[in-house]
Amino acid sequence: MAPEDGPLPPAAPAPWRVLLGYIRPYRLWLLLGGLLSLLTGATGLVLPLAAKQLVDNLGAERAVTGAVLLMTVLVIANAAIGALGSYVLRRTAESVVLTARRRLVSHLLRLRVPAVDHTEPGDLMSRVTADTTLLRSVTTDSLVGAVTGALTLLATVAMMGVLDPVLLAVTLGVLAFAGAVIGFLVPRINRASKRAQESVGLMGAALERMLGNLRTVKASGAEHREEAAIHRAAHDSWRASVRAAKWAALAGNTAGLASQIAFLTVLAVGGARVASGAIDIGTLIAFLMYVFYLMPPVNELVGAVTEYQVGAAAVTRIQEAHRLPTEPQGPPAELPAPGSPPAELAFHDVHFRYGPDLPQVHHGVSFTVPPRGMTAFVGPSGAGKTTVFSLIERFYEPTEGRILLDGQDIRQWDIPGLRAAIGYVEQDAPVLSGSLRENLLLGAPGADDGELRRVLRTTRLDGLVARLPSGLDTLVGHRGTKLSGGERQRVAIARALLRRPRLLLLDEATSQLDAVNEAALRDTVADAARTTTVLVVAHRLSTVTMADRIVVMDTGRVRAIGTHADLVAADPLYAELVATQFINSGN
């Protein structure tokens, strides 16, 4: 295992323990909802006795007003209490879903980059949305349904035993057979439910892959191939869900069939007992009503078992996401104060690979960057230049060697404090959905309007803002699609400068700019280098020649360090790069 993966977390707890952890903050609300559900069942259990009293009064030609009034009150109370209990339980279930989503989102935001590299984003999204939604039904139908269903079933059975033990024995015999069948089906429901949830995640991953690169798909004429791939994923999800539905339907209908068989059996045996004089007709009617009252709690128990299997699969997937390694948590760090000293950086014999089964990227990289000034990294593609920046940001950890910032190993820095000192402009200059203002203030939410205007002028974004219909509040579209490539780069640079970084990392930050804007930003970078430490991965000669020092990298090694003039004379690779205008190509 690579060091960046960290130690494995302990074995995952059972799904029911995890579920109870989500429910614990709302246990009083859940208890209230359960009590209301029990009260609803209790009012229902009294109805057959009131019906028996009504039949007995009719047979004896006694007044029935009291019995009718009692039945009316019980029906109204049953409906009102049931509605209130249902609302309380649904509200509690939504709160459980909210808690699960918050915890999972907070965890995902702190994932280590290697964990994200090996996970499909669409599948993680499915766990936050689809899987957490299933906790809603588990909370109400499984947990509460199991408790209230079991208690209502026991109470109903007790009332049936009071009326006639013989008919009760007949009923329980039928239900025992149904229970054995359902017990046979439960493991199959569990396996099918887990497979269905996994299929939904795979479909989400396929869809995210396509939508996230829709322009590339269209430009490649690959719509039909991507469509077929997503259709296959959707069909696999459908097939797994149908399989789960099949076993759940068998379990549910087994319970319904058992109740009907019990009714017919009790009707036959009870009729014979009425004919023999063992019981009266009122008792048989009341008992038959209780047989009907058995159906809801039995169905609740079967539903609880089924929903738990579905929920257990969802909880397992949620816990799998929670087991992905995260960075150490810490409070947000303050950005450097104006006038903070520039950072000093050093790599000492750094080795690195992106995974244990992948080739080595860095083979003993060593260099020192003094505070203040610009250092450019050049070399062929795959030399390991961008990886230098990823290691400085602690997106990854070196497998060997040390990286020092201000003389201190960066592993001894807390990560928020380390990144607060750094401004990083990535190679593809990503822009997030939302407004231009939100993107600029992403890393410096406390920046005032004066700082914002200054950075806009510096990066030549003030003209763009003036042209936009809503200025800084204009929405930039998904991944900044409403901006040009050069505008996205300038937004990324402005975002980094607003953080007042002590160390500024620019990964080909001017590759998509025209000559005029590149010259302006080159001046901006040169100005920043007077007060901070600037590291640039560059392929353009105009950027490289203005650097105070140049680090030439090749196949994961530092082969030369010096100025442009020195390296042209002393390093054949650098001279070749310049001669072939590779650096000047911007690639």
Side-chain angles (χ1 to χ4, degrees), residues 399-414:
T399 52
E400 294 180 42
R402 294 196 306 157
I403 302 172
L404 305 181
L405 187 68
D406 294 337
Q408 182 180 8
D409 194 313
I410 61 171
R411 282 174 287 202
Q412 296 174 359
W413 284 69
D414 68 281

Side-chain angles (χ1 to χ4, degrees), residues 498-514:
L498 275 172
R499 291 169 62 82
R500 299 186 299 270
R502 299 178 55 230
L503 176 63
L504 181 60
L505 310 178
L506 304 175
D507 193 351
E508 300 188 50
T510 62
S511 61
Q512 299 187 53
L513 297 181
D514 55 70

Side-chain angles (χ1 to χ4, degrees), residues 14-33:
W16 65 269
R17 289 184 178 274
V18 178
L19 185 60
L20 288 179
Y22 288 130
I23 291 172
R24 189 171 292 112
Y26 311 103
R27 57 186 180 275
L28 294 180
W29 283 103
L30 197 64
L31 178 61
L32 175 61

Side-chain angles (χ1 to χ4, degrees), residues 518-555:
E518 183 199 355
L521 279 177
R522 208 163 51 234
D523 293 340
T524 298
V525 173
D527 184 61
R530 297 188 184 97
T531 57
T532 191
T533 306
V534 179
L535 273 59
V536 180
V537 171
H539 286 145
R540 289 189 176 181
L541 189 59
S542 56
T543 302
V544 174
T545 54
M546 63 183 289
D548 298 292
R549 69 198 58 80
I550 301 167
V551 178
V552 184
M553 297 188 67
D554 186 25
T555 61

Side-chain angles (χ1 to χ4, degrees), residues 18-91:
V18 178
L19 185 60
L20 288 179
Y22 288 130
I23 291 172
R24 189 171 292 112
Y26 311 103
R27 57 186 180 275
L28 294 180
W29 283 103
L30 197 64
L31 178 61
L32 175 61
L35 290 175
L36 290 172
S37 296
L38 287 175
L39 188 57
T40 302
T43 57
L45 289 176
V46 179
L47 273 172
L49 297 180
K52 179 180 183 302
Q53 182 65 41
L54 178 64
V55 172
D56 291 343
N57 288 349
L58 287 172
E61 298 183 350
R62 293 194 295 266
V64 297
T65 304
V68 171
L69 183 61
L70 176 60
M71 292 181 68
T72 302
V73 171
L74 288 174
V75 168
I76 295 174
N78 185 274
I81 297 172
L84 180 59
S86 177
Y87 166 75
V88 171
L89 288 177
R90 288 181 180 275
R91 183 182 185 279

